[in-house]
Amino acid sequence: MNFTVVNRNIEVGNIRVVGVASSSVFLIGDTQTISLSSIFDTPPESLIIGPLVPLAPQ
């Protein structure tokens, strides 16, 4: 399969983020590599999972 990518300028006018999860990636544009990792140093029973906390209003 041949795949051709032509990058052009990108213009972002407005972005509104309502909430952010504990493992989120917000990306505008392109990237070649994203490396993710996660480490827990607490026992699993101390992990509290609850509703998402919205961002503070402007």
Side-chain angles (χ1 to χ4, degrees):
M1 177 170 120
N2 293 330
F3 189 75
T4 302
V5 176
V6 179
N7 289 324
R8 293 200 165 65
N9 293 339
I10 184 169
E11 181 178 332
V12 178
N14 189 16
I15 296 174
R16 181 172 181 245
V17 177
V18 178
V20 177
S22 59
S23 59
S24 300
V25 174
F26 182 79
L27 177 67
I28 297 175
D30 56 2
T31 186
Q32 187 170 353
T33 304
I34 296 177
S35 299
L36 306 173
S37 65
S38 176
I39 298 174
F40 284 103
D41 61 351
T42 57
E45 58 271 5
S46 67
L47 179 63
I48 300 171
I49 300 175
L52 297 177
V53 178
L55 297 176
Q58 293 181 350

